[in-house]
Structures are given as structure tokens and as C-alpha cells.
Amino acid sequence: MLWLGIETSCDESAVALVRSSESGFVVVGSKVSSQIRSHQPFGGVVPELAVREHLRHLPAMLPKLLEENGVSFSEISGIAVTEGPGLAACLMIGYSYARGLALTLNIPVVGVNHLEGHLLSPFISGKRDDAFPFISLVVSGGHTLLMLAKGLGQYQKLGGTVDDAAGEAFDKVARLMGLAYPGGPEIEKMARIGNREAYDFPQSFPEKDNFNFSFSGLKTSVRYFLDKNPESKSDPKFVADVSASFQEAVVQVLARKAILAAKHYRCRMIAAAGGVVCNGRLRDVLEQSCRKAGIELTLARGELCTDNAAMIAAVAAWKSASGVNIGLGSDINPNLPL
Ligand code: KG4
Ligand code: ZN
């Protein structure tokens, strides 16, 4: 079966083709149109601007994707679209587009939870039924989730952030230091030339049986520190050291909680995904900690960490090939839980 994935939940318009077979599934093609440059001057996503950008890009992307991969409309056998969570007006664009297209092509359309897309994205290069149970760490701009994945579609939330998402913390701290949006990649760039032991920023919830995260205390601590050293913000060495120390505090807490959860629930694998998993230091620390603890680690490939439609089509492909029931809700749901 050839699935078309459509993703418009936030500030990336994305389409992808994923083919499923009994032995697994492969990404035939994937296109992402990032709106970062349009939102950059505003230091964050502006919903109205995002809607206009989706409307401008989405219709042109699909014919291009098909042409580039030598696929015709008639070969598409099903459409998978993100139905939540996300920005309501943005979700609505993809959802309406998918429904209209499905009607025209006379094929089924199914709704996919964006977070399930991230959760399963580490396995996109091949179906991994034997991966379950595993601990999933999903860290993006909107979410920080630690889940116990018991089976396809069976997820138990172990913890989440009680305030800012990890990516949001990167974005806000970057802004405090005058770095561009999105802050994650900028902080990582500065951190590469900084000393991660320069400053000792706080790490929240060190307790062993608490799988929640909190990043607002860390963010406030960085803010006070910057306020006390206003002249240093123009010193690249200072910004690099603050970036490296802040990044280290976030990365250590994410890795520690994931390992604790894997041990607590006796899982032999951790799978991590979401925009923040692009971060090289987080990938390294997760790899080192998992090796030390004898836990297998599966990381989403870089281009599949940030929002994309391959992960949306892959959920539909995996579930339909495994006989798991999938359908389409009668509406989008901006707060759809996992
Ligand atoms: O998954 P994603 O593309 O969108 C959401 O679903 O939110 O994640 C975007 C987030 C942003 O907050 C961005 O700053 C963060 O991921 N991010 C990073 C890196 N690349 C993107 N954070 C840390 N290090 C990075 N290299
Ligand atoms: Zn996302």
C-alpha cells in the first residue's frame, strides 16, 4: 500500500510517500517546506502567518513530490493526515486538504496523532514489532514526554514537563542571549565552542521515581545570571559558555530520566525523537548513558527529528500492515492526547 502523509500542525508544511509491505515500510519520498525564515523576525511562530504559508506551499508540494518520485495520483492508496495536537488553524489546512483529496481520488483518509508520529519515527527505516516494550523520549518545541510504549497504539505516559517544553526552553534562553529563532540549533552552535562546566545551572526533579521535567527554573536561573552580567552578553566566549552549560543541564536531565524509566520498567530499549533530538550533545550523552546501562538506543534520523510527513504516513503504514484499527476523527483536535 502506498500512503501519502500530510503534516501541517505547526510551522512546517510537509508531504511524504511511504510504501508498506509485509516486511516493513520504506519512505519513497519526503518534502518539508520550513517557514522558519518567515517567523524568524518575530522570534516565534505567528499562527496567522503559518496558515498563510501552509496555504501557499502545500498545494504545490504534492505534485512536485509525485513527479520527483515517478508516482501518479492513481497509485496512492491511502492518505494519513495529522489531526492533532497542534495549532488549530494550521491543522485545519492539512485536514481539509486531505479530506478533499481523498474524496477526489476515492481513497481512505486516516487521522494520525502528531506525537505518535514522533514516537515511532526512530523506527521508520524498518518495521520493528519486536521493539516493544520500549521507553520513548519525545522532545520538541511543544512537548517533552516520557512514555512507556507497550505495543503499537498502546502508550502509557510516565512523565512530561510541568512548565516549558525542552525545545521551548532552548528557544527562550537563546532569545535572552540575543540568538536567533529557533534557539536550539543556535545554542548548540555556540555550545560547541563553550565550556559545559563553566556554570552550574540547576537540574530539576532529581528524584528517582519522578519522571516529570521542569525547565522554567533553569531558564529563570539563566535569566538572573545574564541580568547580573549585562556587559558580558556581547562577549562570544561568555555566550558560548552559558550556552554549553545550559545545554548540558537540559541534556543530562533528559538522559537521566530516560535511563531511570528504562530501569524502572525493565525496558531494554530507549527510542528518542523530536526536534531537540537533533542536538548532537543529547545524542552523545544518550548513547554513552545507554551503553553504560546496557540499554539499546534507537534515535530518529536527523531529518526525521523535526516535523515531517514521513512519520505521519509511517504510523498509518505500520498500523494498517499490523491490522490495528485506524480511522479519521470528525474534526481536528488541537489538544489531542497521546
Ligand atoms: O519537533 P519540532 O520540529 O517541532 C515541534 O513539534 O515542536 O521541534 C522544534 C524544536 C524547537 O524548539 C527547536 O529549538 C528545537 O526543536 N531544536 C533543537 C535543535 N534543533 C531543533 N534543540 C536543541 N538542539 C538542536 N540542535
Ligand atoms: Zn513535532
Side-chain angles (χ1 to χ4, degrees):
M1 222 177 146
L2 185 64
W3 285 93
L4 166 67
I6 297 176
E7 155 65 39
T8 60
S9 67
C10 191
D11 59 345
E12 329 272 0
S13 315
V15 289
L17 292 166
V18 169
R19 197 181 294 283
S20 70
S21 68
E22 272 175 20
S23 59
F25 47 84
V26 284
V27 180
V28 175
S30 174
K31 281 186 109 54
V32 179
S33 166
S34 171
Q35 305 176 0
I36 283 177
R37 290 177 70 166
S38 312
H39 297 284
Q40 224 155 26
F42 304 96
V45 178
V46 182
E48 189 180 318
L49 194 58
V51 168
R52 292 188 174 174
E53 292 283 299
H54 284 311
L55 282 173
R56 201 151 69 92
H57 294 292
L58 190 62
M61 291 173 76
L62 180 55
K64 250 192 213 152
L65 175 77
L66 297 178
E67 193 191 318
E68 282 171 14
N69 293 286
V71 171
S72 66
F73 274 101
S74 61
E75 288 173 72
I76 303 172
S77 32
I79 302 177
V81 63
T82 304
E83 58 182 355
L87 296 169
C90 294
L91 289 166
M92 194 62 89
I93 308 252
Y95 183 87
S96 312
Y97 184 70
R99 284 188 76 160
L101 194 62
L103 204 65
T104 312
L105 299 176
N106 195 24
I107 53 175
V109 53
V110 302
V112 171
N113 185 313
H114 178 84
L115 295 172
E116 188 173 15
H118 278 305
L119 187 148
L120 296 177
S121 64
F123 305 101
I124 277 182
S125 309
K127 191 152 71 89
R128 292 284 303 268
D129 288 314
D130 61 345
F132 300 105
F134 64 88
I135 295 295
S136 162
L137 179 67
V138 175
V139 256
S140 69
H143 300 271
T144 307
L145 280 176
L146 203 51
M147 310 286 297
L148 171 60
K150 300 174 186 170
L152 206 49
Q154 296 164 31
Y155 314 116
Q156 179 188 334
K157 184 174 173 184
L158 306 178
T161 180
V162 298
D163 39 56
D164 292 343
E168 198 180 351
F170 268 98
D171 295 339
K172 287 179 176 172
V173 166
R175 203 172 176 171
L176 293 175
M177 293 192 288
L179 300 175
Y181 172 84
E186 298 298 315
I187 287 193
E188 180 175 12
K189 223 185 285 165
M190 292 307 290
R192 271 193 223 119
I193 50 165
N195 173 8
R196 55 181 177 259
E197 287 167 10
Y199 307 110
D200 195 13
F201 292 126
Q203 296 175 27
S204 61
F205 296 134
E207 311 92 67
K208 282 200 160 77
D209 54 351
N210 182 333
F211 301 117
N212 281 327
F213 301 94
S214 165
F215 295 107
S216 80
L218 168 62
K219 179 193 66 193
T220 308
S221 163
V222 175
R223 168 176 297 162
Y224 285 151
F225 185 69
L226 293 172
D227 286 351
K228 266 197 238 151
N229 300 279
E231 68 295 338
S232 307
K233 272 208 262 181
S234 51
D235 173 4
K237 170 84 179 93
F238 174 79
V239 173
D241 285 348
V242 174
S243 296
S245 305
F246 161 78
Q247 175 179 274
E248 195 61 14
V250 175
V251 160
Q252 289 296 340
V253 90
L254 290 172
R256 179 153 26 92
K257 293 272 161 185
I259 296 277
L260 281 175
K263 287 185 176 164
H264 192 272
Y265 289 92
R266 295 174 200 281
C267 287
R268 51 178 182 77
M269 189 199 285
I270 291 173
V276 180
V277 177
C278 289
N279 187 285
R281 178 67 188 153
L282 175 59
R283 296 175 85 91
D284 286 350
V285 169
L286 279 170
E287 258 159 35
Q288 289 157 14
S289 332
C290 283
R291 203 178 314 123
K292 210 165 130 202
I295 295 165
E296 190 183 342
L297 177 69
T298 308
L299 295 170
R301 282 207 316 266
E303 74 276 16
L304 294 173
C305 282
T306 44
D307 289 347
N308 64 86
M311 69 182 190
I312 302 304
V315 172
W318 195 346
K319 283 188 166 177
S320 77
S322 305
V324 176
N325 201 15
I326 37 176
L328 181 72
S330 57
D331 200 353
I332 54 142
N333 183 352
N335 302 310
L336 189 66
L338 188 56

